[in-house]
Amino acid sequence: MQLQETQFERLCENKSILVANGSFPGPTVWAHQGDTVVVTVVNNGNYGVTIHWHGARQMCNPWHDGPEYVTQCPIQPKQNFTQTVVLDREEGTLWWHAHSDWARASVHGALIIYPKPGNEHPYKHDAERTIILGEWYEKNLTEMVINATRTGGDVDTSVAYTINGQPGDFYHCSKESTYRMTVDPNKTYLLRIISAIMNEEMFFGIADHALTLVGMDGAYLDQVTTSYIMIAPGQTMDVLVMTDQEPGRYYMLGSPFADTQAPSDTTTPSAILHYNGGYEPRKYPNSITLPGSTDRDSAESFMRLLKSLADDKHPIKVPLNITKRLYLTVSVNNVECAEGDTCEGPNGNRHSASLNNISWTAPNIDILQAYYRKLPGIYYTDFPDQPPRYFNFTGDVGDNVTYPVVGRTVVEPIEYGSEVEITFQGTNIPAAENHPMHLHGYSFYLIGFGRGNFSPNTSIPTYNLPRPPKINTVAIPKNGWATIRFKADNPGVWFMHCHLERHAGWGMAMAFIVSNGPTKETSMRDMPPGMPPCPGS
């Protein structure tokens, strides 16, 4: 996989962006369940970069997971790094992307995992297509991020969304290049939908065609038919579409779900489902009305449809004997501007974000190497299991708005074999928003979610323990909560963060260190040769 700056034209403007193998989106990687995939990443770009294999568990192999300064240091320009991607029970659609600053905006692609040879999908289809939702920025994104980091301000929003790299009919200079998915009548197509979008969730649907959801984040779901999906940044969904309508052209549309006061791109990406055959097409493709940008009810109604397949061939095992609980407040914060500086965040401060009022600070050497080599002073293990204070998190926060703790790299140690429950609590500090939280190294069960403050008396009775969806990225409702469970059976250092890039960059992240198990097979692999060097190491 070769990374290099390449010229692209969108919206009648030429622009150089970093891409893989000269394409946007990047190349697809195919594998079977349980395979080991080896990829050499060659960085011919201008900045250091890493590649993350999103949703691949990387059993006992955190060395090749990818987040910079967590499991490795960046691959510097003119250098390369060979990554081993260890697949476990994942089956379906995953993806890969850059995990350095905002580079994933243009460096990403599909990771498709088929059943083991001789096994079959639990559904029938005639053909498949991959649909990658992305974003397009007018200015140089790297320069914007550097400036925002220096000033504490925000990065400009995107000027367009894309479907397979193209904005679509509703943007200027784009109609001729709109992505067209040609299909034959009376067939069943598997759409592998990936959200590589940076900062907004997205409703997605196809005019006059039902969507049957069959998988999510590399695991199978109980089949459910819907007129739209709501997909968050980082998530993947497998959807069946029957081409059973009158031959013609039908819009495939996105509608941003951005129920927030923060600046957002509210434009509409489009593609066209185009039937093959000899017919006279209408002047315009048939269209669809999707939920609007603040339609929380539709977003949460869709989330309630998600249930695991949970049959004999695809069993689930929800942890029931919880030995480790965390209650994490998820907040967007500010930090005071340093004396003598001019900052461009709210009220002259710097933007920040936190989990339990700890804003993530990356060290200058990766945590995994420091853990493996027992290097002192790189990180601390006193991440709080609960927020520093309790108040009405989702209401009038009053005087409880606090500046987060910054400047310390803090992790959460977990014993191997622990059965872990995490409740994410959204907050109204300073303004509420939906947060898609992603955990590296694990898939987890989403056992419950709701609005308002989590309450054991009223929230726990709503848990779905028989058939919760098994996912790796969960959208926490605005001013609400979500509870997940997983068994800590994968030793190593594993990152957890909001997949809204602005929030991750501001510090809405933390890391777990899962200890080794009792055997070699349940222990982390030794540090492999050829890891990218860290500054000063």
Side-chain angles (χ1 to χ4, degrees):
M1 181 184 295
Q2 184 165 274
L3 308 181
Q4 62 186 30
E5 293 282 333
T6 305
Q7 288 285 329
F8 288 84
E9 181 179 340
R10 297 291 186 276
L11 311 180
C12 279
E13 296 287 341
N14 281 301
K15 182 182 175 185
S16 178
I17 59 174
L18 184 69
V19 296
N21 291 7
S23 65
F24 171 68
T28 298
V29 177
W30 290 274
H32 288 93
Q33 186 198 68
D35 279 355
T36 295
V37 181
V38 179
V39 178
T40 296
V41 180
V42 180
N43 184 10
N44 287 327
N46 300 323
Y47 302 93
V49 70
T50 65
I51 298 295
H52 168 52
W53 305 90
H54 187 115
R57 291 203 62 196
Q58 295 279 32
M59 291 296 292
C60 302
N61 185 40
W63 301 104
H64 294 157
D65 184 48
E68 67 176 2
Y69 298 112
V70 179
T71 64
Q72 71 172 86
C73 287
I75 309 164
Q76 295 302 321
K78 310 306 178 186
Q79 301 298 314
N80 63 74
F81 178 45
T82 298
Q83 292 180 266
T84 301
V85 185
V86 181
L87 301 175
D88 185 38
R89 297 181 295 275
E90 307 92 336
E91 193 172 307
T93 306
L94 299 176
W95 66 303
W96 59 266
H97 60 81
H99 214 296
S100 306
D101 293 324
W102 289 46
R104 76 172 176 87
S106 54
V107 180
H108 58 253
L111 171 58
I112 294 175
I113 306 170
Y114 294 106
K116 288 183 177 181
N119 292 347
E120 296 181 348
H121 297 290
Y123 51 80
K124 300 294 185 182
H125 63 286
D126 299 299
E128 63 181 65
R129 301 286 191 272
T130 299
I131 302 293
I132 300 182
L133 308 177
E135 282 184 272
W136 186 262
Y137 290 81
E138 181 178 28
K139 299 177 183 178
N140 183 291
L141 191 51
T142 301
E143 292 176 1
M144 283 198 293
V145 171
I146 291 173
N147 183 66
T149 302
R150 179 180 58 82
T151 65
D154 201 355
V155 173
D156 291 348
T157 63
S158 59
V159 293
Y161 296 103
T162 59
I163 298 178
N164 285 356
Q166 299 295 339
D169 284 5
F170 306 117
Y171 300 89
H172 69 279
C173 298
S174 300
K175 196 164 187 176
E176 295 302 316
S177 61
T178 296
Y179 172 70
R180 287 165 170 79
M181 181 177 130
T182 57
V183 296
D184 292 323
N186 301 312
K187 301 290 185 182
T188 299
Y189 287 82
L190 169 63
L191 302 189
R192 300 181 179 275
I193 305 173
I194 299 166
S195 179
I197 292 171
M198 302 295 280
N199 288 302
E200 291 87 13
E201 290 85 2
M202 185 72 74
F203 294 109
F204 176 87
I206 304 176
D208 301 331
H209 289 73
L211 308 179
T212 300
L213 191 63
V214 295
M216 182 173 177
D217 286 359
Y220 293 115
L221 294 174
D222 192 26
Q223 294 189 23
V224 61
T225 299
T226 176
S227 60
Y228 67 89
I229 63 171
M230 195 284 283
I231 187 166
Q235 291 180 335
T236 66
M237 295 185 184
D238 294 334
V239 172
L240 297 179
V241 175
M242 293 186 64
T243 53
D244 55 1
Q245 298 300 303
E246 178 184 353
R249 297 180 301 151
Y250 298 83
Y251 270 129
M252 308 163 69
L253 296 183
S255 174
F257 174 58
D259 190 13
T260 174
Q261 298 175 15
S264 300
D265 180 354
T266 57
T267 59
T268 300
S270 67
I272 295 174
L273 182 76
H274 187 116
Y275 278 68
N276 288 322
Y279 58 89
E280 185 67 28
R282 297 178 181 176
K283 183 176 180 180
Y284 300 107
N286 288 16
S287 194
I288 180 176
T289 300
L290 291 170
S293 62
T294 61
D295 192 342
R296 294 177 63 193
D297 290 341
S298 292
E300 293 170 20
S301 293
F302 174 77
M303 287 180 64
R304 290 189 183 91
L305 298 177
L306 307 177
K307 295 179 175 60
S308 285
L309 178 57
D311 62 11
D312 291 342
K313 292 183 178 180
H314 308 90
I316 63 172
K317 192 172 183 179
V318 182
L320 299 177
N321 300 307
I322 303 303
T323 56
K324 180 73 171 180
R325 280 189 169 88
L326 291 91
Y327 183 58
L328 304 182
T329 50
V330 182
S331 304
V332 175
N333 311 90
N334 301 313
V335 294
E336 292 180 310
C337 192
E339 187 174 351
D341 285 354
T342 300
C343 295
E344 297 179 359
N347 303 314
N349 290 326
R350 300 179 64 87
H351 280 293
S352 184
S354 66
L355 297 174
N356 276 357
N357 217 45
I358 304 290
S359 187
W360 174 257
T361 301
N364 59 8
I365 182 174
D366 63 272
I367 298 170
L368 179 58
Q369 184 179 167
Y371 169 62
Y372 181 79
R373 295 170 57 191
K374 298 181 173 60
L375 301 178
I378 305 299
Y379 63 88
Y380 302 90
T381 57
D382 56 347
F383 186 89
D385 291 355
Q386 298 184 41
R389 66 178 75 174
Y390 281 78
F391 53 94
N392 183 5
F393 296 119
T394 59
D396 182 356
V397 297
D399 297 329
N400 289 291
V401 178
T402 57
Y403 292 110
V405 175
V406 297
R408 294 176 77 240
T409 303
V410 188
V411 304
E412 174 77 37
I414 296 182
E415 287 293 320
Y416 180 90
S418 297
E419 297 197 353
V420 183
E421 180 179 282
I422 302 174
T423 296
F424 298 100
Q425 177 65 65
T427 69
N428 211 17
I429 305 174
E433 191 168 349
N434 188 298
H435 298 286
M437 296 299 298
H438 171 55
L439 175 59
H440 291 226
Y442 287 88
S443 292
F444 50 75
Y445 294 101
L446 172 61
I447 62 169
F449 67 91
R451 296 186 182 183
N453 298 322
F454 176 85
S455 168
N457 291 335
T458 59
S459 302
I460 291 177
T462 69
Y463 282 177
N464 169 23
L465 294 176
R467 301 181 75 176
K470 189 177 184 182
I471 56 180
N472 61 56
T473 304
V474 56
I476 304 166
K478 173 184 175 179
N479 265 340
W481 59 271
T483 300
I484 67 171
R485 288 183 181 180
F486 64 94
K487 184 171 183 177
D489 58 358
N490 192 10
V493 177
W494 303 108
F495 202 33
M496 186 172 73
H497 60 93
C498 181
H499 227 278
L500 302 184
E501 202 63 35
R502 57 157 60 102
H503 293 172
W506 293 341
M508 192 177 287
M510 54 91 69
F512 294 103
I513 296 182
V514 179
S515 64
N516 284 333
T519 66
K520 181 178 180 180
E521 291 72 25
T522 58
S523 298
M524 194 174 77
R525 295 183 179 186
D526 288 334
M527 181 175 176
M531 293 295 295
C534 297
S537 64

